[in-house]
Amino acid sequence: MSRTMSGGSEDFNGNISRTGSHRQTDHHGYKVRFPPAKGLFTELAEGVKETFFANDPLREYKDQPRSKKLWLSLAHLFPVLDWARSYTFGMFKGDFVAGLTIASLCIPQDIGYAKLAFLPAHVGLYSSFVPPLVYAAMGTSRDIAIGPAAVLSLLLGTLLQEEINPATNPHEYSRLAFTATFFAGITQAMLGFFRLGFIIEFLSHAAIVGFMAGAAITIGLQQLKGFLGIAKFTKKSDIISVMESVWGNVHHGCNWQTILIGASFLAFLLTTKYIAKKNKKLFWVSAIAPLISLIVSTFCVFITRADKQGVAIVKDIKEGINPPSFHLIYWSGPYLAKGFRIGVVAGMVGLTEAIAIGRTFAAMKDYQIDGNKEMLALGTMNIVGSMTSCYVGTGSMSRSAVNYMAGCKTAISNVVMAIVVMLTLLLVTPLFKYTPNAILASIIIMIVVSLVDYETAYLIWKVDKMDFMALLGAFFGVVFASVEHGLLIAVAISLGKILLQVTRPRTALLGNLPRTTIYTNVEQYPEASKVPGVMIVRVDSAIYFTNSNYVKERILRWLRDEEEQQQEQKLSKTEFLIVELSPVTDIDTSGIHALEELLKALEKRKIQLILANPGPAVIQKLRSAKFTDLIGDDKIFLSVDDAVKKFAPKSALNV
């Protein structure tokens, strides 16, 4: 918002500031003040504080005894120590029901997601046992459900199989997966420890929507292998390669039993999802449907021995809880660097997904999550997970939504889910031997359908066309190239948009609204009239080296256009140029140099330069550069209205 202290300007969002709406209001007796001078170290300290410690995390340590500070430090690292003191049995009942509900959903999901990452099915289950326990102790979200996720599994599988073939070298492939998971955790934990969470903000919301939609299409297409019973399927993820693989296998015939299983249970799953969407109270129908489908389809294959008729099954799932895998991580050799590269990419994607999910549900329940604590929690759980045979985990949107609707109160629901998964690993896994791959494909297709958020995409199209281009770039990058390329395109377009906005800031001509002291954008308010002999320009951005020359040239272009119009209509020439600086939050030496060049260009035209409402950082730097001496203190005003009254009093009375 604008910092203007008068009714004489409009903020850079297009909103009008109204501290005075009549001519009687003025600011005589008030001048632009210079803020107290600050030393170099003071400015650096303030900059570091605002960048890395904006929420002032040390404020609660002030005037506390040493024992209290120690407890606060432990509670900061393990938030469970704080909220557990007020935990009640009533809250546990909600968490227990929610934990059982998401456990019924996560078991079939984990088996399917592990297949998506080309890892053994039991590794997917491992990843919903240890990591949720770590997160429950360190995380700040009450609603997020931890475990493998569809997009992250696809990304990891795509990147890993570029290095090692999972079919011929499954052991080495798993080792690289654990290595990537370790470095994903290191990346996330370091970002949290050094409070660098703002880095993930460079991936815009529109790019994420496009990326997720593209990944959903890609994941759905990948499931055609299991859904149609295709034995030989492409390892590539782009739509052209997948469709060529499907079309090539059509002539060799598909397994009709597999198609029957997949299609019938997909119809059942989509029906339950539709019921849950229409009636929120029946959310549990959709939540438990995957587990029911898994059990029924497994039983059907077992009693009919459909596996002998060509129906592909999961086969053996390793029994028992997570074995240690510290010794399996590559600590040297060529795969160390490859694991690091894959881990950094996977860590950033997982972090973006988890933070977005956590913030969504926190907003619904009106509480705050600590982004840096979340990063530290996610990083620690993946580091521990990499040493206990898990692959990269994050927040799952489908499970988190079910967790929220099931009435979870705290992260204890993750603990309940983890205990159920542990019991499954110890007691039930042999029963999944005859689970058909087709049912896993159906479950994943049902889940990823919701990742295509066409309503948000349409809203983005209506609101911001540039944002929509970022969405399309990410979407087509994933669908026609790969997940990795789609992610790079999403980041590149997001950064490109930032650069475009920084290098080409908006400027506006201002006019006076009749019978007020308000000066606003003449394009937005056509009834606003220009002041004869005065041109008023507003710059809607900080002025830095990236845009200073553009700002200068744009103002001079406004001036040339104005002069041409004056000659055509035989109007009075411009004598004053007022630059409204209230939206200009900062300026650097290049910006000041551009103002000096602008001043010289105006002097040649015999036009006086006047500044209105510069902020504290701007006026301080202008004074330090002696630009205020160059222009004169009498050319700097608190508002546009004050400047007009001073230099064009007759015009001010007439408009």
Side-chain angles (χ1 to χ4, degrees):
M1 295 292 292
S2 170
R3 293 183 313 273
T4 184
M5 298 171 63
S6 75
S9 65
E10 172 203 13
D11 69 17
F12 53 87
N13 290 320
N15 301 316
I16 300 173
S17 302
R18 292 179 178 269
T19 55
S21 60
H22 300 286
R23 279 280 164 204
Q24 287 78 7
T25 302
D26 60 38
H27 304 95
H28 294 306
Y30 290 96
K31 294 183 179 180
V32 174
R33 295 177 182 174
F34 296 98
K38 296 178 182 178
L40 174 62
F41 291 106
T42 302
E43 289 191 6
L44 286 175
E46 289 183 356
V48 169
K49 181 179 178 181
E50 286 301 314
T51 303
F52 301 103
F53 304 97
N55 60 345
D56 194 13
L58 300 178
R59 66 185 182 279
E60 57 186 11
Y61 289 86
K62 293 178 182 178
D63 303 323
Q64 297 290 345
R66 184 174 298 179
S67 58
K68 181 67 173 179
K69 289 181 179 178
L70 177 61
W71 173 259
L72 289 172
S73 299
L74 288 173
H76 182 82
L77 187 60
F78 300 102
V80 64
L81 296 176
D82 186 27
W83 56 260
R85 291 181 295 175
S86 57
Y87 196 71
T88 64
F89 182 73
M91 296 169 71
F92 175 72
K93 287 193 293 185
D95 287 334
F96 183 74
V97 172
L100 291 179
T101 307
I102 58 176
S104 68
L105 179 63
C106 86
I107 291 169
Q109 277 188 359
D110 291 344
I111 297 172
Y113 290 160
K115 292 285 185 183
L116 197 59
F118 302 103
L119 288 165
H122 56 265
V123 174
L125 292 171
Y126 291 164
S127 303
S128 282
F129 172 41
V130 173
L133 296 175
V134 177
Y135 180 85
M138 300 184 67
T140 61
S141 173
R142 305 171 195 167
D143 302 277
I144 196 169
I146 295 297
V151 174
L152 202 53
S153 299
L154 173 67
L155 175 66
L156 197 66
T158 302
L159 297 179
L160 289 174
Q161 69 172 345
E162 289 178 359
E163 308 297 339
I164 300 175
N165 189 331
T168 56
N169 296 297
H171 181 68
E172 299 300 315
Y173 183 87
S174 295
R175 290 188 64 187
L176 185 59
F178 299 148
T179 305
T181 301
F182 175 79
F183 284 112
I186 290 291
T187 301
Q188 294 169 336
M190 288 299 99
L191 287 175
F193 182 79
F194 291 108
R195 307 184 72 84
L196 297 173
F198 59 86
I199 291 176
I200 65 172
E201 305 294 344
F202 283 100
L203 197 60
S204 69
H205 173 63
I208 292 173
V209 171
F211 175 77
M212 297 294 277
I217 300 295
T218 302
I219 292 168
L221 291 172
Q222 288 283 320
Q223 300 316 301
L224 292 177
K225 176 185 178 181
F227 193 84
L228 301 175
I230 299 173
K232 294 181 180 180
F233 201 74
T234 180
K235 297 293 184 182
K236 297 180 180 179
S237 62
D238 64 282
I239 189 171
I240 295 174
S241 299
V242 171
M243 295 313 296
E244 285 179 348
S245 183
V246 171
W247 184 253
N249 281 279
V250 167
H251 301 290
H252 301 289
C254 298
N255 186 275
W256 69 267
Q257 295 100 325
T258 300
I259 297 174
L260 179 63
I261 293 171
S264 57
F265 280 103
L266 179 60
F268 168 69
L269 290 167
L270 292 176
T271 301
T272 59
K273 189 170 186 175
Y274 177 80
I275 292 171
K277 187 176 181 180
K278 287 296 182 182
N279 189 343
K280 298 295 183 183
K281 293 181 180 179
L282 297 176
F283 71 91
W284 56 271
V285 173
S286 177
I288 203 171
L291 185 60
I292 292 173
S293 301
L294 185 75
I295 294 171
V296 173
S297 62
T298 302
F299 180 72
C300 290
V301 170
F302 174 71
I303 61 173
T304 61
R305 296 313 307 263
D307 56 307
K308 293 184 178 181
Q309 305 299 319
V311 175
I313 58 175
V314 173
K315 297 181 181 177
D316 293 327
I317 298 181
K318 191 174 180 181
E319 191 175 0
I321 60 173
N322 309 34
S325 56
F326 178 85
H327 62 288
L328 297 177
I329 297 174
Y330 286 110
W331 300 109
S332 60
Y335 288 127
L336 174 64
K338 293 175 181 178
F340 174 78
R341 178 182 64 83
I342 296 170
V344 170
V345 175
M348 295 296 287
V349 173
L351 205 56
T352 303
E353 190 172 357
I355 296 294
I357 293 169
R359 285 176 178 170
T360 298
F361 290 104
M364 290 180 181
K365 287 189 176 179
D366 193 26
Y367 68 91
Q368 298 292 322
I369 64 168
D370 188 319
N372 291 298
K373 287 182 183 179
E374 285 295 291
M375 294 175 201
L376 200 58
L378 291 165
T380 304
M381 80 174 196
N382 278 317
I383 293 171
V384 174
S386 70
M387 300 177 184
T388 52
S389 303
C390 305
Y391 76 98
V392 187
T394 185
S396 166
M397 176 55 84
S398 57
R399 269 181 269 183
S400 298
V402 170
N403 196 30
Y404 169 80
M405 290 186 288
C408 71
K409 304 300 180 184
T410 68
I412 292 296
S413 60
N414 277 285
V415 177
V416 175
M417 177 191 72
I419 292 172
V420 174
V421 171
M422 179 193 71
L423 294 174
T424 302
L425 285 165
L426 290 173
L427 306 172
V428 186
T429 47
L431 301 179
F432 292 138
K433 177 180 179 180
Y434 293 98
T435 298
N437 289 337
I439 189 61
L440 301 177
S442 298
I443 291 170
I444 292 176
I445 291 172
M446 184 270 289
I447 292 167
V448 299
V449 165
S450 60
L451 294 179
V452 182
D453 193 351
Y454 59 89
E455 291 180 352
T456 300
Y458 179 65
L459 180 63
I460 291 171
W461 162 256
K462 290 199 301 181
V463 173
D464 191 326
K465 300 300 186 289
M466 279 297 296
D467 256 4
F468 189 74
M469 294 303 295
L471 185 153
L472 286 182
F475 175 79
F476 287 122
V478 174
V479 171
F480 288 100
S482 67
V483 177
E484 187 177 13
H485 285 98
L487 185 62
L488 290 174
I489 291 172
V491 173
I493 293 177
S494 297
L495 291 176
K497 184 182 177 184
I498 293 173
L499 290 174
L500 183 63
Q501 291 175 338
V502 169
T503 57
R504 294 294 182 268
R506 295 182 183 275
T507 57
L509 279 178
L510 306 186
N512 177 257
L513 287 177
R515 297 176 300 281
T516 73
T517 61
I518 298 170
Y519 289 80
T520 185
N521 191 334
V522 294
E523 287 188 5
Q524 186 178 3
Y525 297 90
E527 67 271 25
S529 56
K530 297 179 182 178
V531 181
V534 180
M535 191 174 82
I536 309 168
V537 178
R538 189 187 66 227
V539 181
D540 291 341
S541 166
I543 305 176
Y544 292 130
F545 66 95
T546 55
N547 61 23
S548 57
N549 190 61
Y550 171 79
V551 169
K552 179 195 70 175
E553 294 295 336
R554 188 68 186 93
I555 292 174
L556 291 175
R557 202 186 327 153
W558 282 120
L559 194 60
R560 285 195 297 270
D561 294 343
E562 191 78 5
E563 288 174 343
E564 290 176 1
Q565 188 178 6
Q566 289 167 356
Q567 289 178 359
E568 290 176 2
Q569 300 179 8
K570 296 182 180 180
L571 301 173
S572 58
K573 292 184 178 180
T574 302
E575 298 180 34
F576 304 98
L577 172 66
I578 301 176
V579 182
E580 159 70 296
L581 294 176
S582 58
V584 180
T585 55
D586 201 2
I587 191 170
D588 65 1
T589 52
S590 297
I592 296 171
H593 182 65
L595 288 181
E596 291 172 350
E597 291 183 344
L598 176 64
L599 179 62
K600 292 177 183 178
L602 293 175
E603 286 175 345
K604 292 179 181 178
R605 290 177 166 86
K606 296 182 180 181
I607 297 173
Q608 297 185 53
L609 176 62
I610 301 164
L611 305 181
N613 198 19
V618 175
I619 194 63
Q620 180 65 53
K621 291 182 179 181
L622 291 179
R623 183 173 71 169
S624 299
K626 299 188 183 302
F627 184 78
T628 53
D629 296 337
L630 193 64
I631 190 177
D633 288 341
D634 61 331
K635 303 290 178 59
I636 303 174
F637 289 85
L638 197 59
S639 72
V640 172
D641 184 61
D642 286 349
V644 172
K645 285 180 178 178
K646 172 71 175 179
F647 292 101
K650 293 182 179 179
S651 299
L653 292 172
N654 292 331
V655 294

